[in-house]
Amino acid sequence: MGEPVHDRPEPLALGGSAGTRRARRAGLFSAVYLVAYFAMGVSVISAGQFVKPFGVTSVATGFGIIIALVVLSGVAMIALKAPRPRGPPAVS
């Protein structure tokens, strides 16, 4: 079978050495973690600000509704951008 190839060097024409690929991958993961933690942190802190005036149950319900709306809008956007088949269906 052969040994698995780990982090095969990429030709210079396709983006540089393995070190630059690792650096780009590290930057990408850093950006993903930063955005994810920032988004979750801001939403939880802002929800926490409303606990005192409205109560935990109301804030939790509102937070859940807002999260559900954001998820549904994301699903709708993905569904609208999905490629649709063109032309008549293939006959077998």
Side-chain angles (χ1 to χ4, degrees):
M1 279 219 184
E3 295 180 26
V5 178
H6 299 289
D7 205 17
R8 213 177 332 184
E10 189 174 359
L12 288 175
L14 296 177
S17 68
T20 55
R21 283 192 316 154
R22 283 190 200 108
R24 270 189 269 135
R25 187 172 36 201
L28 174 66
F29 275 102
S30 296
V32 168
Y33 279 119
L34 179 71
V35 169
Y37 279 110
F38 184 73
M40 204 55 187
V42 167
S43 61
V44 169
I45 289 172
S46 61
Q49 296 298 316
F50 293 108
V51 168
K52 204 171 210 175
F54 297 109
V56 174
T57 307
S58 299
V59 171
T61 303
F63 188 73
I65 290 171
I66 290 171
I67 296 299
L69 290 174
V70 169
V71 168
L72 288 174
S73 67
V75 169
M77 287 175 20
I78 290 172
L80 291 174
K81 289 189 176 217
R84 293 183 172 74
R86 297 175 190 226
V91 178
S92 1

